[in-house]
Amino acid sequence: MNRKKTGIWMLLLVLTFWITLSGTAGAASFSRKAPVVKAKKQATSVTLKWSRRSDLTGYQVYRTNAAGGNKRLQKSTTGNSVTLHRLKRGKTYYYRVRGYKKSNGRITYTKFSKVAEVKISKTAQTSTLKELLKTGLQPVGRTMYVWGGGWNKADTGAGDAARSIGVSPKWEAFFHRQNSSYNYQNTRYQIENGLDCSGYIGWCVYNILNTKDGKPGYVMLAQNMARSFASYGWGTYLPKSQVKDYRAGDIMSSSGHVWMAVGQCSDGSVVLLHSSPPGVQLAGTPASDGSRDSRAVELAEYYMKKYYPEWYSKYPNCAKDASYLTSYAQMRWDISGKAVMTDPDHYRNMSADEILKDLFA
């Protein structure tokens, strides 16, 4: 064999050895250690969480039997948690998670986690439409609109304030320090000092479905709230083009804002609860014929002036524009008792006048 052929063979041997060594090293660096999974249940849902590994591409969540067998894939994710909704009352669920790594067209898996057992209570926490609205009134007239208020610092979901029972004393203290020229642009992301629109609705929902702090929250992008709440099995979703009327507790979502209906008036106007600059308050829409001198605005002004005089003296405007009646999708609560809401007080059939009179009685 001449020197040229010998050199080529030597080069091929070196390359083969290097590729083999690299593959062996890569395999040796991959750990098949199973994820450690923690489960947090809530009403009819559960959040499964684990520590994320940087060497993995993603994770697969399986539903299993008590022994960990009979595995059925539920979700895949690149994150470190998933929330599974619409679980049935009185039933026990079992889950296992494994990680995977994609490399050079191959998929390598970790071992499966231990079985996470989740027991859903037969008597899941429920509330009433009246309690929902009474809860929604708690921050009214003492909580400023703060961009990011109610969110966590990462701006990915509910922060501590929106996962706590009751009104934060920081909200009212911050309100008392403000004057009539309050500009929310100057307080962006001071997340402990107030609530934005989705922070407010998320706080309301958390407070009617929980009795303790620190459980998974409900803060998300405003445009997703109505559809997401309906997907949890809580009620019926309607796109904005199909919304015909407004009833107590309806969650109304659009791109950039979310609010909750108190009730509708005879002129078609709607009294609502929301957090919008300058803050959390009762407000009214125009009448269905476009008149801005509506019964809803009259009611909102009356109750804000009478029961929240300090707020009203600074921020007397209680009127919202006609887009509130045309640009929002709707989630209407299931009050049958099969979900998380009931209506023993018959608020669903009451006008805004009747509801407000009862709430402030």
Side-chain angles (χ1 to χ4, degrees), residues 30-34 53 108-112:
F30 178 77
S31 171
R32 296 192 68 242
K33 185 177 180 180
R53 280 172 41 186
T108 310
Y109 297 95
T110 69
K111 295 179 180 179
F112 277 98

Side-chain angles (χ1 to χ4, degrees), residues 92 97 207 293:
T92 301
V97 178
N207 272 256
D293 186 21

Side-chain angles (χ1 to χ4, degrees), residues 19 36 52 75 83 110 119-120 125 132 134 150 153 183 200 210 225 238 300 320 322 327 340:
I19 292 170
V36 177
R52 191 178 186 282
K75 281 189 177 182
T83 300
T110 69
K119 295 180 179 179
I120 302 300
Q125 180 75 24
L132 172 62
K134 285 178 70 70
K153 290 182 179 179
N183 185 347
Y200 168 63
N210 292 281
M225 284 187 137
L238 286 178
K320 309 313 295 183
S327 303
V340 296

Side-chain angles (χ1 to χ4, degrees), residues 150-196:
W151 289 73
N152 56 26
K153 290 182 179 179
D155 206 29
T156 57
D160 291 342
R163 298 185 298 118
S164 298
I165 301 302
V167 174
S168 168
K170 293 181 180 180
W171 300 345
E172 188 165 9
F174 184 72
F175 158 64
H176 287 307
R177 297 196 298 269
Q178 310 310 314
N179 58 34
S180 59
S181 61
Y182 175 75
N183 185 347
Y184 78 93
Q185 295 285 5
N186 299 328
T187 63
R188 293 165 66 93
Y189 296 110
Q190 295 181 19
I191 61 176
E192 299 298 327
N193 287 333
L195 294 168
D196 66 13

